[in-house]
Amino acid sequence: VQLVESGGVLAQPGGSLRLSCAASGGISLVNVMGWYRQGPDNVGRGLVGTIATTETNQYGDFVNGRFIISRDAAKNTVNLQMNNLEPGDTGFYYCHFRDWRECWGQGTQVNVSS
């Protein structure tokens, strides 16, 4: 499985960004895709949001309704719409894919700063 990430970079506090991740290469019909992030302290990767092929989703506690995760099944793509961004959202965001395999994207930088 290959994951190609796009979006992110820079936003002001209160602004929005959209991240996308396209999966390719033998994608199973049942899988979970999503995003994790690693903050500037580089202490592990925390859950941002995931969504299964059943459309069941899960968010990290810090999201508080600010982000929306969605997927385009036909394109094997997962999107993360991030609204009302805060400086604490700064970090490296990694796309994640899981079925009987696990795969990570290379990551994309998100900076939230005025």
Side-chain angles (χ1 to χ4, degrees):
V1 176
Q2 294 81 43
L3 302 176
V4 178
E5 300 152 327
S6 60
V9 184
L10 180 64
Q12 292 186 339
S16 299
L17 285 173
R18 182 179 176 88
L19 304 181
S20 293
C21 176
S24 62
I27 304 302
S28 56
L29 294 177
V30 179
N31 61 69
V32 179
M33 293 184 67
W35 292 90
Y36 290 75
R37 76 181 187 187
Q38 187 165 13
D41 58 3
N42 291 322
V43 178
R45 295 178 182 179
L47 170 68
V48 179
T50 61
I51 184 167
T53 46
T54 58
E55 297 289 337
T56 301
N57 57 42
Q58 183 178 8
Y59 293 97
D61 292 340
F62 69 91
V63 171
N64 290 325
R66 299 180 296 130
F67 299 174
I68 300 171
I69 193 165
S70 61
R71 63 187 298 160
D72 183 332
K75 298 179 181 179
N76 291 316
T77 299
V78 62
N79 302 302
L80 181 68
Q81 178 66 40
M82 302 187 291
N83 302 315
N84 195 19
L85 285 162
E86 302 169 352
D89 294 318
T90 293
F92 228 77
Y93 285 66
Y94 294 90
C95 182
H96 182 258
F97 172 94
R98 175 171 53 85
D99 51 15
W100 69 89
R101 305 156 290 183
E102 184 176 40
C103 181
W104 292 94
Q106 291 190 339
T108 185
Q109 180 70 47
V110 170
N111 284 310
V112 183
S113 174
S114 56

